[in-house]
Amino acid sequence: STYYSLAAQVSEQCWGCEWISPRPEGPLRSCCLVPAIAGIGLLGARLANLDAEVLVSVGSGAGLVEWLFAARFPRVICIDEFYRPIGEGAVNSWVVPQLRALVVADWRRQSGTTEGEGAGDTESEQISFVHPSDAA
């Protein structure tokens, strides 16, 4: 099964919905946005038409949308409370698995430690992760 077919089985109030339209009634709290492929394409095209060079996402959460946009835009900056090490330097489990190594690589780059997985690779330099208290 694909990611989208699995997400289709989960309640809309739990997972959000196609986020361009329609928006479900009622509050969406602690939910993960599951974007439709068409929604990502539409929003990506509109941002590209604006000649966007940098995409800054405030409240990035799990980072799924930002990860999808990183394939299209040269620089993506994600700002959320989830981008701080927890425990022994682990990445918050809320962050999508595809981004976890990139989050660690970004922490190492910011601290000046460049050894290890993802260090110095173009993909890890294209997307950055900032905790709101670091943005000041």
Side-chain angles (χ1 to χ4, degrees):
S1 277
T2 68
Y3 176 79
Y4 291 98
S5 65
L6 291 173
Q9 298 171 27
V10 180
S11 164
E12 283 190 350
Q13 288 298 320
C14 176
W15 282 89
C17 66
E18 181 178 349
W19 52 283
I20 298 291
S21 174
R23 185 182 185 284
E25 293 183 27
L28 294 176
R29 294 189 183 111
S30 300
C31 63
C32 178
L33 205 54
V34 179
I37 295 170
I40 289 292
L42 176 64
L43 187 54
R46 289 187 177 167
L47 291 170
N49 285 338
L50 295 172
D51 294 326
E53 295 177 7
V54 177
L55 179 65
V56 177
S57 174
V58 178
S60 308
L64 175 62
V65 172
E66 295 74 14
W67 176 67
L68 293 170
F69 280 140
R72 186 172 194 159
F73 295 96
R75 187 89 169 98
V76 177
I77 301 170
C78 303
I79 303 172
D80 207 309
E81 64 185 21
F82 299 109
Y83 306 130
R84 277 271 171 86
I86 56 173
E88 296 293 318
V91 177
N92 191 304
S93 62
W94 180 251
V95 176
V96 294
Q98 297 89 331
L99 284 182
R100 292 178 190 162
L102 297 176
V103 171
V104 171
D106 195 60
W107 290 339
R108 290 178 178 156
R109 187 172 49 255
Q110 290 177 26
S111 70
T113 307
T114 56
E115 307 92 33
E117 182 182 346
D121 104 25
T122 305
E123 184 182 21
S124 69
E125 292 174 4
Q126 176 185 1
I127 189 164
S128 300
F129 303 91
V130 179
H131 187 277
S133 65
D134 297 337

